[in-house]
Amino acid sequence: MTTTYPFSAIVGMDGLRLALLLNAVSPAVGGVLVRGEKGTAKSTAVRAIAALLPEVDVVAGCRFSCDPAAPDPSCPDGPHEPGTGEARPARMVELPVGASEDRLVGALDIERALSDGVKAFEPGLLADAHRGVLYVDEVNLLHDHLIDLLLDAAAMGASYVEREGVSVRHAARFLLVGTMNPEEGELRPQLLDRFGLTVEVAASRDTGERVEVVRRRLAYDEDPEGFAARWAADEEALRERIAAARALLPRVGLGDRALRQIAAVCAGFEVDGMRADIVTARTATALAAWAGRTDVRTEDVRGAALLSLPHRRRRAPFDAPGLDEDKLDEILRRFEEDDPEPDPDPGPEGPGDGPDGSDGSDDTGGGPQEGAGDGAREQTPPTAPEPSVPDQRGGEHEAAEREDGSARADRDGGAADPGEGDGGTGGAGGERAAVGAAEPFRTRRLDVPGLGEGAAGRRSRARSAHGRTTGARRPRGTLSALHLTATVRAAAPHQRTRGRSGPGLLVRRDDLREAVREGREGNLVLFVVDASGSMAARKRMSAIKGAVLSLLLDAYQRRDKVGLITFRGADAELALPPTSSVDAAAVRLERLPTGGRTPLAAGLLKAREVLRVERLRDPARRPLLVVVTDGRATEARRSGGPAPVERAGRAARMLAGDGVASVVVDCESGPVRLGLAGALAGELRGTRVTLDELRADSVTALVRDVRNVSNPRRAA
């Protein structure tokens, strides 16, 4: 059996450790979402907390871990008579990213259900995690329908399995912990809200702390049992403190003043709904119990807000999560001025009434800090996290800079930049600083034509495990979705030869049919953006960035992967390799400088190479190419070589030959227009659309045009 790395031996990570401990004290807090870069001990901390949870009493032989003191009346293994049970450690169950729905919620034996009428139910991971920990690594990569099932079970404390009229319900209460790397994509805002707390983690930049992390990890790898034995006393102290805080929790009082503070904080940060208030109240109560007190104080409210609000204050998908601590302190200060009533007298100081909210003992979970030479140990109590706070004046500051810069005599319209054309150098002298994007607008769905089989999403039509039923077929592997009518039809002609004598239908495995369903898939949306001098007029580039940002927002909502290629000067650059992190694409777009010549062919050839590689990595995910340009092509011409426009046409025809669905966003403006973007769209066998036509009502025609180009008969 593998020895778990001790929780108390984790160096630093105070916010993460505190959030996990508070959930161990009060599972009603609602779990933890841990956001951070790779290699920051997220998984280590989660696995370690499970070893600290108190043992649970279970009914002997019950697969659903029923409590013998209050067994679940609807338990599939029941009914159980109340009585004594057996004790076992709390489980830590991991949900793999590639798990199926049946693996998560459980599965029915369809053959026995049809032939014998027996509810033969095989429990899933939700049943295994009951009264323990359910850990989802890379939760942002989990399919949306699995996340919905997971969070519904966590919210209701029960799992419901419905299969063709056969229903099973069982209790599913667990500590939910998810970890994610934001660089690989974000969770939807409504899913973020379902996690009780969130913590941002990052590797320490302190040399001494990093040295200590490496020293302890090497010692653990060399002798796991010996390393764990050295920390056994600290682990036991933490385990006892968790048990004591759990016992104290029902006696913690949440007075009206603390409730008004919580309401003032949540209203001050303009969070949506009431879940934030409820979670903050539960967290503040758990903080008081962890400190050994029976009253909730201002410091508890502040610490709870730092954990429960950062992921709920996002106002738009591209806003960075975080909480302005200065604003939090200002809200609490104003509350004190408006409501100067002191906190109720807490009475005699308890074991947690030290000046910092601790009890003065050294069992706070900070863990002994091994010295470099003598092995001396020093306890560091976990404190409320201090998440990275974005510069709150950043938006206004950047806007002021853009406004100041726009006062310069930049030309709008189709005129070329001084660095553009044959006389431009395309070097640093022709480069302009990045400008901000215009206000994004709502677009409608742009489909890739045909029927795909890619990852679940919300863009193009695809065969999927979830959606409307369009037919039936023999199962391919494990049966996941029974088509009852087709199964009965397949079994009916064989009833006499099988010796059927009673009312039951005799069904064999060869008779089973699974449903064929059609839903939506996510696509790879690859943006190829012209950043040359001809696009550099400030207001014009701002509008272009606003249009691309709108399409990025649409991709975020439809669960696409996105990539960003820019071309300017002498070559094209892959500014962002295909990723699920649309936020990263928005950041790269915002910083995009402009100027120089227009190597359109280089941009198209770079797109073709990127799509070729992605086709090998993920052949099921279909691409949509979005080229944002005015259609001009100017670059240093090689002696005897084709003209830039001709080279761009050849590259476009190569992409069209690969069958890539494409849209050209025509950015040409001014009274005189050359129609080059329309010609490029024709070479790509795609469709041309102006910036104005990207807006919601106009995109309907755009989608129709994309489909017509791919299907000439429909266009005729």
Side-chain angles (χ1 to χ4, degrees), residues 506-582:
L506 297 181
V507 178
R508 294 180 179 172
R509 188 164 298 277
D510 290 344
D511 302 326
L512 299 179
R513 299 292 183 270
E514 68 178 1
V516 176
R517 293 173 176 168
E518 182 179 309
R520 293 279 173 182
E521 67 176 358
N523 297 109
L524 166 59
V525 182
L526 182 61
F527 293 92
V528 181
V529 180
D530 184 350
S532 65
S534 66
M535 310 281 284
R538 273 190 173 273
K539 293 182 180 178
R540 183 178 174 197
M541 195 63 198
S542 178
I544 292 167
K545 285 188 175 182
V548 178
L549 193 66
S550 302
L551 292 171
L552 283 172
L553 178 59
D554 183 67
Y556 170 86
Q557 294 168 339
R558 302 195 186 283
R559 313 305 288 170
D560 294 316
K561 289 180 69 174
V562 297
L564 177 64
I565 293 173
T566 64
F567 58 94
R568 54 186 282 275
D571 205 355
E573 175 191 3
L574 180 59
L576 181 72
T579 175
S580 297
S581 179
V582 179

Side-chain angles (χ1 to χ4, degrees), residues 635-650:
E635 56 186 89
R637 185 172 179 179
R638 301 173 183 175
S639 177
V645 173
E646 184 180 347
R647 290 189 66 231
R650 289 182 182 178

Side-chain angles (χ1 to χ4, degrees), residues 447-450 661-663 681-682 684-688 699-716:
D447 297 85
V448 175
S662 59
V663 175
L684 286 167
R685 298 180 197 165
T687 189
R688 165 192 169 273
V699 175
T700 304
L702 169 63
V703 175
R704 183 175 61 250
D705 290 343
V706 172
R707 289 173 171 168
N708 288 344
V709 168
S710 300
N711 188 350
R713 293 182 180 177
R714 180 182 296 176

Side-chain angles (χ1 to χ4, degrees), residues 330-349:
E330 176 64 19
I331 292 172
L332 292 174
R333 184 188 63 78
R334 288 202 308 267
F335 180 86
E336 295 291 341
E337 292 175 353
D338 296 339
D339 189 359
E341 178 187 352
D343 285 329
D345 183 7
E349 287 193 343

Side-chain angles (χ1 to χ4, degrees), residues 296-468:
V296 174
R297 301 179 180 177
T298 299
E299 59 263 33
D300 300 324
V301 174
R302 185 182 189 278
L306 288 171
L307 291 168
S308 63
L309 298 186
H311 57 307
R312 294 186 167 91
R313 60 150 294 276
R314 288 177 57 131
R315 308 305 300 169
F318 301 136
D319 289 346
L323 202 67
D324 183 352
E325 294 192 50
D326 291 337
K327 181 177 179 179
L328 173 60
D329 291 334
E330 176 64 19
I331 292 172
L332 292 174
R333 184 188 63 78
R334 288 202 308 267
F335 180 86
E336 295 291 341
E337 292 175 353
D338 296 339
D339 189 359
E341 178 187 352
D343 285 329
D345 183 7
E349 287 193 343
D353 288 336
D356 60 353
S358 66
D359 60 0
S361 66
D362 60 0
D363 61 346
T364 58
Q369 305 289 319
E370 293 183 356
D374 59 6
R377 298 182 177 181
E378 175 188 354
Q379 289 288 359
T380 304
T383 58
E386 298 182 2
S388 57
V389 180
D391 186 356
Q392 296 301 310
R393 62 186 184 91
E396 297 176 2
H397 185 63
E398 291 174 6
E401 287 186 343
R402 292 196 295 268
E403 194 171 320
D404 177 66
S406 64
R408 297 197 299 267
D410 292 329
R411 291 170 295 171
D412 194 8
D417 185 77
E420 168 69 7
D422 293 338
T425 63
E431 180 176 310
R432 294 194 179 193
V435 299
E439 187 71 21
F441 49 84
R442 185 175 180 182
T443 67
R444 293 185 180 176
R445 185 175 60 240
L446 285 80
D447 297 85
V448 175
L451 188 64
E453 294 184 348
R458 297 185 180 85
R459 183 171 296 279
S460 304
R461 293 175 55 224
R463 297 184 183 91
S464 69
H466 299 272
R468 62 187 183 90

Side-chain angles (χ1 to χ4, degrees), residues 78 110 121 125-126 135 157 217 265 328 394 412 430 442 503 539 553 573 577 580 583 642 681:
I110 301 296
F121 180 69
L125 295 177
L126 292 180
Y135 172 44
R217 186 70 208 190
V265 168
L328 173 60
D412 194 8
R442 185 175 180 182
K539 293 182 180 178
L553 178 59
E573 175 191 3
S580 297
D583 287 12

